[in-house]
Amino acid sequence: MSNLSGYNFNAEEIEPSSFDPIPAGWYKAIISASEMKPTRDGYGEYLSLTLQVIEGQYANRLVFARLNLKNANDKAVDIARKDLAAICRAVGVMSPQSSEELHDKPLMIKVKVRPAQGEYDASNDVGGYKADEGTDFTPPPPPKAPTPAATPAKKPWQK
């Protein structure tokens, strides 16, 4: 038995945490934690991201994302690299050496709701990332298309 009297705790004064998914939509968030983890098969790795909503009705709620950066499935790696590129552009860190460089920088996340299936409850997935319109960061312009090679001068006999 533990004595709780010294903690001045009253459950009527504190709202319990909710694990219900938040509604689909765009939310302002930050990456509050990240960690590389091995895949279940032990052959790959994914970047596990904890995203914290920082504004609105769902402020402080957490959403989780996994980026399969090393995987036998090339399509999964391609999707993860594109998502990581979108995150980097959204927070203005183009060549991070550590995932911690992406932490605590506002970005917009597109939250989706995955319906309950079998023994799993409904949950949230992240379906997109973009820069927060309210920040001063302006993403760099897209790279220019390569210019076609100069047209060679026509020879006197060519029309």
Side-chain angles (χ1 to χ4, degrees):
M1 178 169 82
S2 297
N3 183 353
L4 298 176
S5 63
Y7 294 97
N8 195 22
F9 180 79
N10 182 346
E12 292 177 355
E13 298 171 352
I14 300 171
E15 193 64 34
S17 297
S18 170
F19 296 104
D20 292 334
I22 63 177
W26 285 96
Y27 294 89
K28 187 173 185 176
I30 59 168
I31 296 172
S32 59
S34 60
E35 179 182 5
M36 287 300 293
K37 295 183 177 182
T39 55
R40 269 185 276 168
D41 65 11
Y43 295 108
E45 292 180 310
Y46 64 90
L47 179 60
S48 174
L49 300 175
T50 302
L51 298 129
Q52 180 181 352
V53 176
I54 59 172
E55 283 186 351
Q57 176 182 357
Y58 298 100
N60 298 318
R61 290 291 303 272
L62 302 178
V63 180
F64 304 93
R66 289 182 174 187
L67 306 181
N68 287 288
L69 296 175
K70 182 180 175 188
N71 196 291
N73 182 332
D74 290 338
K75 186 174 182 179
V77 172
D78 185 54
I79 291 168
R81 290 176 61 84
K82 288 178 179 179
D83 282 350
L84 183 56
I87 292 167
C88 289
R89 289 172 188 262
V91 300
V93 179
M94 296 308 181
S95 298
Q97 300 303 301
S98 165
S99 61
E100 289 182 1
E101 293 176 52
L102 308 173
H103 291 198
D104 301 319
K105 294 175 173 40
L107 74 158
M108 299 299 293
I109 60 171
K110 185 177 185 179
V111 174
K112 301 190 291 186
V113 177
R114 185 182 335 147
Q117 187 174 19
E119 62 187 53
Y120 297 103
D121 292 337
S123 61
N124 287 125
D125 287 325
V126 180
Y129 307 88
K130 66 181 181 179
D132 171 31
E133 294 85 14
T135 62
D136 293 333
F137 171 69
T138 304
K144 292 182 180 179
T147 56
T151 307
K154 291 186 180 182
K155 307 289 183 209
W157 63 86
Q158 295 175 325
K159 295 200 174 201

